[in-house]
Amino acid sequence: MILMKTPLVEMDGDEMTRIIWQNIKEILILPYVDLKTEYYDLGLENRDKTGDRVTEEAARAALRLGVAVKCATITPNAERVREYNLREMWKSPNGTIRAILDGTVFRAPILAEGIRPLIPGWQKPITIARHAYGDVYRGVETAVPAGGRAELVITAADGTQTSQLIHAYDGAGVALAMHNTDASIMSFARSCFRYALDVKQDLWFATKDTISKKYDHRFKDIFAEIYEAEFDAAFRQAGIEYFYTLIDDAVARVVRSEGGFIWACKNYDGDVMSDMVATAFGSLAMMTSVLVSPAGAYEYEAAHGTVQRHYYKHLKGEKTSTNSVATIFAWTGALRKRAEMDASEDLADFAVRLEKATLRTIAEGVMTGDLASISQLAQKKVAGSEEFLLAVRERLAT
Ligand code: NAP
Ligand code: MG
């Protein structure tokens, strides 16, 4: 039995991923690790029962203990409010956690032999770091009638105003104002630099600063200032590089690259590019996600949702073939980070062995239906949800 010093913050979730969560623990972790967790049930029923306090408590626990692992959770909409007879349409748990941790989300694909990326040159994962605040997501927009004038007015703290003409419209049109803050951009930059050092990979950052000479340029300047003042020496020592370029140039370089770096993106670019990168690497069910707070707390999860359609099949007693790889890697990511913080070599070693056993299972042709449909392997066997985990355990044991 491998012992743990400090507990992980365990955030349980919903539907099919809640079932997989339990299975991963029982089949792949508890037989080997004397698992210590501080458990928070973020399942929708308990969020409703606690008035969503459990989500806030879990996020604060992550700040206190430093490492959390989270199961996918339902973000309620009107349909879910009826389905679960909710008292309120609770906010997205990920949004609540992100607000408390003030973090940046890093998404990376898991590469497995037999699942070739659609871009053949990509040999190593590309991690997208998406700024999670502001820009068009907090935009104020309006339709403008014919003959209207749009102006940008700034009122300073002392009341003085400056205004700029945006456009004097002949015909009808539209206008959009968006914002960001230095504080948010700075914490985004620090999270990116710190994460690059953590995983020892180059960091790329790109904006459209040639066109957006004040807005995007501010991002570029803040990254450059923080890099020079706080990270340059550490990057040199780690043998990694910080590299800024125009977003158009970045896109071309990314496609031609062999992967193996972190690509920091502004909010909208990150939204779009993470879907492109995930799809090109093969499957959303093979994407991991980690939220890194500027204070140094880490929260690991799978990038996909609760796989509702499979859950309803499961409830009807039908066989499911749900991919658990990203959730397994959320656990190994958290265990490895815990091991690093507690200097626990055997725990770190276990995390590596579990990842290797998982990838070997796929390489040997045993995989869930979603992967079987895209795998280039000649021999493959579609495994059920639990059957896949048992196949991983066989390989973990040897
Ligand atoms: P989803 O759970 O990601 O699933 C969408 C579809 O993608 C599934 O129906 C399935 O396709 C495929 N898929 C995703 N993960 C898979 C896996 N592990 N193995 C096999 N196939 C997988 O998204 P959704 O159905 O739109 O959302 C369900 C719930 O998840 C929503 O209530 C949403 O709020 C929540 N959600 C949570 C998070 C989070 O907590 N991080 C993120 C996104 C969504 P097939 O049906 O074709 O097999
Ligand atoms: Mg998107």
Side-chain angles (χ1 to χ4, degrees):
M1 262 307 162
I2 296 163
L3 297 180
M4 285 181 68
K5 283 187 195 138
T6 317
L8 286 176
V9 178
E10 175 182 354
M11 306 179 185
D12 208 344
D14 289 301
E15 299 194 311
M16 200 60 210
T17 40
R18 187 179 180 100
I19 297 192
I20 285 176
W21 192 260
Q22 194 58 36
N23 284 340
I24 290 174
K25 284 204 304 184
E26 277 169 15
I27 297 172
L28 294 176
I29 300 177
L30 293 173
Y32 307 96
V33 179
D34 186 22
L35 185 67
K36 273 195 197 167
T37 74
E38 213 173 86
Y39 179 84
Y40 294 86
D41 184 0
L42 267 54
L44 188 49
E45 275 160 22
N46 194 46
R47 273 183 275 149
D48 196 47
K49 208 168 82 190
T50 61
D52 209 20
R53 267 203 321 280
V54 66
T55 309
E56 286 174 31
E57 284 166 8
R60 284 188 219 296
L63 278 180
R64 173 165 44 82
L65 291 174
V67 188
V69 57
K70 180 181 169 290
C71 179
T73 46
I74 293 170
T75 297
N77 53 18
E79 214 170 286
R80 298 295 203 166
V81 170
R82 279 193 301 277
E83 183 185 353
Y84 285 81
N85 194 17
L86 300 179
R87 294 193 278 150
E88 252 182 64
M89 196 186 292
W90 305 109
K91 281 189 281 188
S92 148
N94 286 0
T96 303
I97 295 167
R98 203 151 56 211
I100 291 172
L101 265 63
D102 181 27
T104 300
V105 174
F106 297 84
R107 285 192 162 191
I110 300 156
L111 268 57
E113 211 180 299
I115 317 290
R116 219 178 296 135
L118 294 171
I119 298 189
W122 288 358
Q123 312 276 337
K124 299 177 208 156
I126 295 169
T127 300
I128 301 265
R130 174 181 168 189
H131 187 205
Y133 178 81
D135 301 353
V136 73
Y137 302 87
R138 295 277 179 114
V140 177
E141 51 179 31
T142 185
V144 183
R149 271 168 68 88
E151 282 161 70
L152 185 62
V153 180
I154 305 293
T155 310
D158 68 2
T160 50
Q161 291 194 327
T162 51
S163 99
Q164 296 176 68
L165 178 66
I166 295 170
H167 191 67
Y169 295 74
D170 292 331
V174 284
L176 158 71
M178 51 189 205
H179 81 280
N180 223 300
T181 68
D182 286 3
S184 176
I185 301 166
M186 286 161 85
S187 82
F188 173 48
R190 289 200 173 93
S191 293
C192 290
F193 290 128
R194 200 162 287 148
Y195 190 75
L197 281 172
D198 244 24
V199 297
K200 297 221 175 4
Q201 286 182 358
D202 291 348
L203 177 69
W204 298 15
F205 182 45
T207 71
K208 193 71 182 173
D209 66 290
T210 46
I211 299 297
S212 175
K213 291 189 166 66
K214 295 235 164 66
Y215 197 108
D216 279 18
H217 215 284
R218 180 70 128 226
F219 280 78
K220 179 183 176 179
D221 287 346
I222 286 176
F223 266 70
E225 282 159 22
I226 290 182
Y227 177 74
E228 287 304 325
E230 300 172 26
F231 292 95
D232 185 44
F235 266 53
R236 283 167 196 279
Q237 200 170 12
I240 58 173
E241 196 190 349
Y242 168 59
F243 165 66
Y244 177 87
T245 186
L246 260 188
I247 184 84
D248 348 18
D249 180 50
V251 169
R253 284 173 187 261
V254 164
V255 170
R256 284 197 306 262
S257 78
E258 60 168 35
F261 54 89
I262 300 156
W263 183 11
C265 291
K266 286 180 61 201
N267 211 348
Y268 174 81
D269 297 338
D271 188 353
V272 177
M273 293 307 166
S274 65
D275 279 344
M276 191 272 282
V277 168
T279 306
F281 270 108
S283 165
L284 183 62
M286 296 290 277
M287 282 297 260
T288 60
S289 179
V290 53
L291 175 67
V292 181
S293 86
Y298 293 74
E299 182 232 350
Y300 293 83
E301 67 171 334
H304 60 76
T306 60
V307 213
Q308 181 183 18
R309 203 182 64 82
H310 295 208
Y311 180 59
Y312 289 147
K313 272 178 78 178
H314 169 84
L315 288 182
K316 281 194 275 176
E318 289 171 33
K319 191 182 166 194
T320 59
S321 181
T322 311
N323 190 337
S324 50
V325 173
T327 307
I328 295 174
F329 275 64
W331 275 99
T332 55
L335 289 173
R336 187 187 297 112
K337 179 52 75 180
R338 193 66 270 166
E340 184 191 311
M341 288 182 177
D342 292 346
S344 166
E345 261 172 51
D346 46 355
L347 188 60
D349 177 61
F350 171 76
V352 173
R353 280 193 294 125
L354 178 49
E355 288 181 357
K356 283 192 175 153
T358 305
L359 296 178
R360 187 146 70 87
T361 306
I362 298 169
E364 288 175 7
V366 181
M367 59 190 82
T368 46
D370 58 311
L371 292 185
S373 67
I374 57 169
S375 169
Q376 296 85 13
L377 292 180
Q379 302 274 332
K380 49 198 167 188
K381 174 180 183 298
V382 176
S385 308
E386 194 176 334
E387 202 184 338
F388 178 77
L389 296 174
L390 292 170
V392 173
R393 179 155 79 187
E394 264 173 44
R395 287 160 181 85
L396 183 61
T398 58

